[in-house]
Amino acid sequence: MPAIRLPDGSVRSYPTPITGAELAQDIGAGLAKAALAVRIDGQLRDLNSAIDHDAEVSIITKDSPEGLEILRHSTAHLLAQAVKQLFPDVQVTIGPVIDNGFYYDFAAPKPFTPEDLEAITARMRALVEADLPVTREVVSRDEAIARFGAMGEHYKVEIIRDIPAEQELSLYHQGDFVDLCRGPHVPRTGVLGAFALRSVAGAYWRGDSRNPMLQRIYGTAWATQKELDAFLQQQAEAERRDHRRIGTELELFSIQEDAGGGLVFWHPQGARVRRVIEDFWRAAHTEAGYEMLFTPHIAHEQLWFTSGHKDFYAESMFDPMQDEGQPYQLKPMNCPFHILVYKSKLRSYRDLPIRWAELGTVYRHELSGALHGLMRVRGFTQDDAHIFCRPDQIEAEIAGVLVLTRKILRTFGFERYEINLSTRPEGSVGSDAIWETATAALTAALQHAGLDYQVDEGGGAFYGPKIDLKIEDAIGRKWQCSTIQLDFNLPERFAMEYVAEDGRRAVPIMIHRAIFGSVERFFGVLIEHYEGKFPFWLAPTQVVVAPISELHADYAEAVAHQLQAEGLRVETDLRSEKIGYKIRAHTLRRVPFLAVVGEREKGNGSVSLRDRDGRDLGSLPVATLGQILRRLDTQRQQGLELA
RNA sequence: GCCGGCAUAGCUCAGCAGGUAGAGCAGCUGAUUUGUAAUCAGAAGGUCACGGGUUCAAUUCCUGUUGCCGGCACCA
């Protein structure tokens, strides 16, 4: 005689065991219709599982996160059912829920084509239409193996063999389809519907590149068609922001087949932006007590044996080149060079902390399949810096890095971060004492800065703990850029030292840190973050002066010169085109301001100003415009408001 | 690196059961002298990614390479 307590605190008693579906029906017809599953004493179960004891029960609908997950999982099963019907010789493997959707991996003799996806989608819709009941069956391990073995589902058999013996095995049936699954699932296929298959791709069995490659079909599923449409629209939005497309359109950069993949060419418009970014970076670092270094791009291979890169990082390095019988190595990192500068003379404890920064271009042999626009390249410039300090200075230095990092990121409009503190992993170098000191210092610095962070236990590098920072862009995507890493390894390997207060030699602590990470990648993130609409201070071309007709060309040039004299990046558009044409052209280029000059403006020394969002900012004297724009530029304002 | 797809003018894309190609935009020339998101006209622009093969004939079919796209794996 179960007494059931509902989430609102009310209790319902029933004379006999009752299923989740019956309970929902008893509460209300609307709920019964929306119900997908039940939670019984915290356990998610199928809707038609029986409740035979006193319990806390809630009905799960697709409006809850759990409900949506079940919906997606059941849609993955629906996909598998459709595939099995259309391609009987395909074996099923796994079909989990992921962010925004699901996938299902199949061992298919022939890869799926886009046309196959359409056919599969159509079959899925038919199966929804058929409204098949979804039922659960508990089976013994031997029986499960026998059944899937008989069906020729060898991957399933392998999965079953790996499931711990004590765990109950359940099968889910819907029509002719049966799958091994923990569940829970929706009660009927008819409740599914707001889904779309998105792509097909290869994926290794069990994620191991030594295993055979399976065919993975990705899909997305939502509670309502409206949410599905919104999601697809958001995907389209992300596509519109694609830095590769915008980069070509705005002539910011290119990657040339003739030169090779992953090697970036900065065109004049992109190079202007980079220059502004780098100038700002240098100024901010100088202000924060850093000195700038320049170091070579190659060095004797031996240096990389000393650093350990040849042992631990060889796969990511280009092969050495020979010169006069000596092997030279293109650098994948800057740190050994900064260490050599440190070691060029004896250092005192009084010299510490030493902060050295370099926009250092490095080359890494990324696998060809990993390359992606500016986000993953083979040659890139790190905004690198190394701090050498005493153990007692760690906390203050980390705090300083955090302040500088936030200051710089905020200037680009990044205010929200996700921060991870990664602690000591297995098999790491360095003493217990130094790991404790360092980890405590990192923690203290984060706490004093009032920053929220998550601890990734054992997620540190073998050479030291680290803080990683992900920035959130304008449409909520997260990008890993900044990193602060302590290093107990390299100072030992290079036998770095300083003379301590007591006259003994001590080993300095080394901190690696980057704020942008890679200038190329950060630029790519900026393009997507701004959708190519750079704030005024970053815009490659800040103003275009466009005359109404040739009669005003001289005046337009005079205005442009005057603004250039203020240090602004100005162009004129003297083409024999109507003003509407020029407006359209420069608006599409995302130039922040267009200064239109005609008879009126020429007459009174003004311009008619308009911004790229189509706002008419009225008429302004040229001198006033110069002042206003100068201020926008130096203040690095995000928006284009003139006030 | 692996699986699949793709590669045609500067860009976006048509086309070709095998008979050496076409549009829009951009660029160029000319006309127009323009008032807030596309003025008109003309000419030009291609080793159909690159190499090999099949064929009387290859941009088209086969094959290798390179690059790109979507994933996977990788990113101490």
Side-chain angles (χ1 to χ4, degrees):
Chain A
M1 182 158 168
I4 293 168
R5 180 184 291 273
L6 296 170
D8 66 359
S10 65
V11 177
R12 286 166 181 259
S13 294
Y14 294 93
T16 55
I18 183 171
T19 70
E22 289 161 350
L23 174 66
Q25 186 63 48
D26 193 45
I27 296 169
L31 185 63
K33 202 161 166 237
L36 293 184
V38 283
R39 190 202 306 276
I40 305 170
D41 289 334
Q43 301 279 318
L44 286 173
R45 289 287 155 78
D46 290 328
L47 196 58
N48 49 25
S49 39
I51 307 162
D52 55 5
H53 56 284
D54 292 358
E56 302 254 349
V57 175
S58 55
I59 306 292
I60 304 294
T61 69
K62 54 188 172 185
D63 299 321
S64 67
E66 300 90 333
L68 189 54
E69 197 164 305
I70 291 167
L71 193 77
R72 286 174 175 157
H73 193 181
S74 294
T75 308
H77 273 217
L78 185 71
L79 165 63
Q81 182 178 19
V83 167
K84 284 295 285 184
Q85 288 188 359
L86 294 169
F87 307 92
D89 51 350
V90 163
Q91 289 184 63
V92 295
T93 69
I94 56 164
V97 171
I98 51 173
D99 279 356
N100 302 323
F102 59 89
Y103 66 78
Y104 207 113
D105 283 349
F106 301 96
K110 259 187 278 181
F112 300 112
T113 65
E115 294 74 49
D116 291 340
L117 286 195
E118 282 174 35
I120 294 166
T121 302
R123 181 58 63 101
M124 288 169 73
R125 302 242 176 260
L127 292 169
V128 169
E129 199 64 29
D131 197 16
L132 303 167
V134 179
T135 57
R136 182 173 195 265
E137 176 194 9
V138 175
V139 294
S140 74
R141 190 184 185 78
D142 290 344
E143 188 179 350
I145 290 172
R147 282 218 234 164
F148 282 107
M151 284 188 275
E153 298 284 5
H154 306 301
Y155 285 91
K156 280 290 176 195
V157 171
E158 194 178 327
I159 292 167
I160 295 165
R161 290 195 199 282
D162 282 357
I163 294 175
E166 67 278 9
Q167 199 174 317
E168 182 180 85
L169 294 182
S170 56
L171 306 184
Y172 275 82
H173 297 263
Q174 53 194 62
D176 57 351
F177 179 70
V178 55
D179 201 354
L180 172 81
C181 189
R182 186 183 300 126
H185 277 283
V186 298
R188 315 185 64 82
T189 58
V191 304
L192 304 173
F195 66 82
L197 298 186
R198 306 192 63 218
S199 61
V200 57
Y204 298 111
W205 166 237
R206 303 203 146 155
D208 189 326
S209 56
R210 289 166 303 192
N211 286 340
M213 187 155 270
L214 307 173
Q215 293 296 311
R216 174 173 298 178
I217 296 178
Y218 282 93
T220 184
W222 297 83
T224 62
Q225 185 66 35
K226 207 172 145 191
E227 286 171 79
L228 173 63
D229 292 343
F231 170 75
L232 294 175
Q233 195 154 349
Q234 192 192 319
Q235 292 302 113
E237 160 78 2
E239 224 164 281
R240 266 199 302 285
R241 289 175 180 262
D242 193 316
H243 72 282
R244 294 166 300 186
R245 212 193 91 242
I246 294 178
T248 305
E249 264 172 31
L250 303 190
E251 299 180 62
L252 300 173
F253 70 91
S254 66
I255 291 169
Q256 309 262 347
E257 184 172 350
D258 289 343
L263 301 169
V264 181
F265 290 73
W266 295 72
H267 294 209
Q269 296 277 324
R272 288 186 200 171
V273 182
R274 173 166 174 172
R275 177 115 192 173
V276 174
I277 293 172
E278 291 187 351
D279 286 349
F280 166 63
W281 183 91
R282 272 190 214 95
H285 279 72
T286 303
E287 198 185 319
Y290 288 77
E291 291 280 359
M292 297 293 147
L293 301 187
F294 293 98
T295 64
H297 286 196
I298 62 172
H300 235 279
E301 190 182 26
Q302 180 54 46
L303 181 69
W304 304 97
F305 280 110
T306 304
S307 68
H309 286 93
K310 278 288 184 182
D311 299 323
F312 297 108
Y313 205 69
E315 278 178 15
S316 296
M317 290 160 72
F318 280 93
D319 285 339
M321 60 188 108
Q322 298 293 324
D323 183 71
E324 295 188 353
Q326 297 293 322
Y328 284 85
Q329 176 67 54
L330 200 49
K331 70 174 170 183
M333 293 189 190
N334 303 300
C335 20
F337 294 103
H338 290 198
I339 291 172
L340 292 186
V341 177
Y342 180 98
K343 280 170 61 88
S344 64
K345 69 173 204 181
L346 189 58
R347 308 281 170 181
S348 151
Y349 73 96
R350 294 172 193 276
D351 297 330
L352 306 182
I354 287 173
R355 305 184 195 98
W356 286 339
E358 175 179 14
L359 289 160
T361 303
V362 298
Y363 292 88
R364 297 184 183 174
H365 183 264
E366 300 286 355
L367 293 177
S368 58
L371 301 177
H372 179 90
L374 294 178
M375 302 305 184
R376 194 80 179 268
V377 293
R378 286 182 171 157
F380 60 96
T381 301
Q382 288 183 310
D383 67 319
D384 211 355
H386 297 97
I387 298 172
F388 304 103
C389 67
R390 307 188 305 258
D392 62 290
Q393 294 172 320
I394 296 173
E395 185 182 334
E397 287 308 307
I398 298 295
V401 171
L402 287 172
V403 167
L404 180 62
T405 300
R406 293 169 76 195
K407 172 188 163 172
I408 288 179
L409 293 178
R410 191 180 311 122
T411 309
F412 293 93
F414 298 113
E415 301 276 6
R416 296 162 63 88
Y417 324 109
E418 181 183 308
I419 301 177
N420 275 295
L421 170 63
S422 302
T423 62
R424 188 173 194 175
E426 301 279 320
S428 50
V429 303
S431 67
D432 291 350
I434 193 65
W435 273 89
E436 265 167 45
T437 306
T439 308
L442 294 184
T443 307
L446 282 170
Q447 284 172 350
H448 287 158
L451 293 167
D452 286 334
Y453 63 95
Q454 291 156 6
V455 177
D456 179 3
E457 289 293 349
F462 75 87
Y463 50 75
K466 61 175 182 173
I467 294 172
D468 289 321
L469 208 141
K470 282 185 187 157
I471 54 181
E472 192 177 312
D473 76 7
I475 57 172
R477 294 174 301 180
K478 298 203 170 72
W479 306 92
Q480 155 91 61
C481 294
S482 311
T483 184
I484 307 171
Q485 308 183 358
L486 263 60
D487 190 338
F488 312 136
N489 181 47
L490 286 180
E492 291 285 352
R493 280 184 165 267
F494 278 94
M496 297 175 74
E497 55 184 28
Y498 64 92
V499 181
E501 223 168 339
D502 59 7
R504 291 188 205 171
R505 304 293 171 102
V507 181
I509 297 290
M510 180 174 188
I511 302 169
H512 308 252
R513 42 111 293 177
I515 295 172
F516 303 143
S518 140
V519 175
E520 281 76 3
R521 182 179 146 85
F522 188 73
F523 184 48
V525 172
L526 283 184
I527 293 170
E528 304 216 353
H529 176 57
Y530 296 130
E531 200 183 349
K533 292 173 160 182
F534 292 102
F536 188 78
W537 73 285
L538 286 172
T541 300
Q542 297 174 305
V543 192
V544 169
V545 184
I548 296 288
S549 87
E550 268 172 32
L551 298 172
H552 319 110
D554 287 350
Y555 178 63
E557 298 215 74
V559 170
H561 280 132
Q562 210 171 323
L563 295 175
Q564 269 156 10
E566 298 272 1
L568 299 167
R569 297 183 289 278
V570 187
E571 290 174 16
T572 52
D573 185 348
L574 305 182
R575 292 178 297 180
S576 166
E577 298 286 355
K578 303 214 295 200
I579 198 66
Y581 179 89
K582 297 181 187 179
I583 287 170
R584 178 177 157 80
H586 302 296
T587 302
L588 290 174
R589 287 175 66 206
R590 281 94 147 166
V591 175
F593 295 108
L594 191 66
V596 176
V597 296
E599 209 51 42
R600 283 198 301 275
E601 291 76 15
K602 188 175 175 177
N604 65 10
S606 69
V607 304
S608 171
L609 196 67
R610 179 195 158 96
D611 73 17
R612 67 183 161 207
D613 297 318
R615 280 186 290 252
D616 182 354
L617 304 167
S619 180
L620 290 171
V622 178
T624 310
L625 176 67
Q627 280 170 16
I628 290 175
L629 297 185
R630 191 79 212 109
R631 195 175 68 229
L632 267 187
D633 195 47
T634 53
Q635 293 185 347
R636 305 194 179 96
Q637 187 176 309
Q638 289 296 310
L640 298 181
E641 300 76 28
L642 298 184

